[in-house]
Structures are given as C-alpha cells and as structure tokens.
C-alpha cells in the first residue's frame, strides 16, 4: 500500500512534494529497496495511489522509439504504444521502462508519458490502446556471458513467417549468421553472435520497420 495523506495535505497547501523512490517497508516493517526498476515502479505506484491522470517520466530520449535511436539512425518515435507491446519490449531488452512498472501501470490503468528533459520534447504515451503498425519495435538483449544476443521484434502481426523470412534474409545478405529463431504471441526473437548484435539490430529494424 501507499500512504498518501501527507502528500495530499502538502499538495492542498500548494507545496511541491518530493518523494524518495526505490524503497519501502517489508512485512516486518524493515526498510528495503524495491530492486532493479524500483524508481519506475515506485513512481507508478504513487501515481496509482493518488489517482493521477497520468505519470510523466523524464529520460534521455524523446519517448519510445521503434528501436534504440543510438544504434538505429532510422528509428521512429511512437506517439502511442500499448501496455502489452511496451511490456514485451521491456522484457526483451528495451531500457526505457522496467517491465514491472509497465505491468503495474497496466493493472492500475495509469498512462505513462515518456519524455526527454529537453524543452521541445514531444514524448510518447504508454496506454491501453496504441497506434502501432504491424511491428511496434525491435530490441536486443545480451544475457550474462552468453555468446549469443537476442534480436526481438514485437508487434500485433507476429508471429508471421513472412516477417521471419524477411528478417532472416536481410541478415543472410549482410553475412550475419543466425543460430536460432523463437516465435511467440506478438514477438519474434532471432539469436545472433553477441559481437554482431548492434549491426543485426539495425538490419532487422530496417528490414521490418524502416520501410513503413
């Protein structure tokens, strides 16, 4: 639970309230941290408890993109993205929001606005219904010391063998070897050599999204 009485009192007095995130009390009333993603998760929990209209999270990128814009120059910003697709992207390696915070926002119905700290940021809204195309985004995930990295496409058109063949063909033309392919509801994961992950991310993104 989140106690909001003091916060509401201070807000009623037109005060700016600063709340320490990433921490709470366990069932023994011991102070504890919330673990990885704790800041995002505590922000969503507070917004839900206050029944806020929306939660704005400021970060170093201007919203949610079809891939990491620092790796994929042709990545496009999504104005709106569904909780389901954002949750999958977070679970598959996207770094903008932690998956626990997205799951909580979906459960509590809290829209999340992701913006950069810049003055002209347009941002993206994570909410019940997005405006995604067939493929919402492509991300990468490197696990531990594994020699492989997973390049994952997420979207309502998946699984669809046409997208798998298109991505695999683009990687083959570029000389990137594919070790395995895993498909599931709304996602397609292609495993490639870890050292090729950035290049493979750009190739798969451009093959599936850049031509939209």
């Amino acid at each position: 639970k989140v106690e909001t009485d003091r916060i509401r009192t201070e807000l009623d007095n037109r005060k700016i309230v600063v709340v320490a995130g990433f921490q709470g009390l366990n069932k023994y009333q011991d102070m504890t941290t919330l673990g990885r993603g704790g800041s995002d998760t505590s922000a969503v929990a507070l917004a839900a408890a206050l029944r806020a209209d929306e939660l704005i999270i400021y970060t170093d990128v201007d919203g949610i993109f079809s891939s990491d814009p620092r790796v994929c120059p042709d990545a496009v910003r999504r104005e709106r993205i569904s909780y389901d697709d954002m949750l999958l992207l977070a679970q598959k390696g996207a770094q903008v929001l932690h998956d626990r915070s997205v799951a909580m926002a979906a459960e509590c119905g809290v829209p999340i606005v992701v913006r950069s700290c810049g003055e002209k940021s347009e941002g993206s809204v994570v909410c019940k219904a997005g405006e995604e195309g067939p493929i919402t985004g492509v991300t990468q995930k490197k696990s531990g010391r594994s020699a492989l990295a997973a390049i994952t496409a997420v979207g309502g058109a998946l699984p669809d063998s046409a997208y798998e063949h298109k991505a695999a063909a683009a990687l083959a033309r570029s000389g990137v070897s594919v070790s395995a392919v895993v498909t599931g509801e709304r996602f397609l994961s292609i495993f490639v050599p870890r050292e090729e992950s950035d290049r493979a991310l750009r190739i798969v993104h451009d093959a599936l999204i850049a031509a939209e």
Side-chain angles (χ1 to χ4, degrees), residues 124-182:
S124 303
V125 181
V126 183
C127 53
K128 288 184 179 179
E131 298 173 353
E132 308 89 348
I135 307 296
T136 303
V138 182
T139 188
Q140 65 172 311
K141 189 171 187 179
K142 303 172 186 177
S143 300
R145 297 181 180 179
S146 173
L148 299 177
I151 307 299
T152 301
V154 170
L158 297 168
D160 184 327
S161 59
Y163 290 99
E164 178 182 338
H165 294 156
K166 192 173 184 179
L171 290 169
R173 286 194 299 270
S174 300
V176 178
S177 61
V178 175
S179 297
V181 177
V182 176

Side-chain angles (χ1 to χ4, degrees), residues 51-72:
R51 298 180 182 176
D53 294 332
E54 63 183 17
L55 165 67
I56 302 176
I57 292 185
Y58 292 94
T59 182
D60 59 348
V61 292
D62 187 15
I64 308 297
F65 282 74
S66 56
S67 192
D68 187 341
R70 293 164 292 194
V71 179
C72 297

Side-chain angles (χ1 to χ4, degrees), residues 5-183:
D5 291 347
R6 171 74 187 281
I7 296 173
R8 291 185 181 280
T9 297
E10 299 299 341
L11 290 174
D12 288 342
N13 290 327
R14 303 182 64 81
K15 299 288 185 65
I16 295 174
V17 180
V18 178
V19 180
F22 212 94
Q23 62 186 6
L25 300 175
N26 64 17
K27 64 181 180 180
Y28 304 109
Q29 298 300 298
D30 298 322
M31 184 70 74
T32 184
T33 59
L34 300 181
R36 184 172 178 269
S39 54
D40 290 353
T41 305
S42 54
V44 172
L46 186 58
L50 290 169
R51 298 180 182 176
D53 294 332
E54 63 183 17
L55 165 67
I56 302 176
I57 292 185
Y58 292 94
T59 182
D60 59 348
V61 292
D62 187 15
I64 308 297
F65 282 74
S66 56
S67 192
D68 187 341
R70 293 164 292 194
V71 179
C72 297
D74 294 326
V76 293
R77 182 178 57 84
R78 300 302 190 193
E79 292 185 8
R80 300 171 69 86
I81 182 171
S82 68
Y83 292 123
D84 289 343
D85 280 5
M86 188 66 246
L87 180 58
L88 259 179
L89 286 170
Q91 291 172 338
K92 301 299 181 182
Q95 300 294 312
V96 181
L97 294 171
H98 195 270
D99 58 354
R100 290 195 302 166
S101 67
V102 179
M104 180 181 291
E107 181 179 351
C108 299
V110 176
I112 302 176
V113 180
V114 179
R115 291 179 180 162
S116 78
C117 298
E119 293 182 1
K120 297 182 179 180
S121 173
E122 297 184 47
S124 303
V125 181
V126 183
C127 53
K128 288 184 179 179
E131 298 173 353
E132 308 89 348
I135 307 296
T136 303
V138 182
T139 188
Q140 65 172 311
K141 189 171 187 179
K142 303 172 186 177
S143 300
R145 297 181 180 179
S146 173
L148 299 177
I151 307 299
T152 301
V154 170
L158 297 168
D160 184 327
S161 59
Y163 290 99
E164 178 182 338
H165 294 156
K166 192 173 184 179
L171 290 169
R173 286 194 299 270
S174 300
V176 178
S177 61
V178 175
S179 297
V181 177
V182 176
T183 60

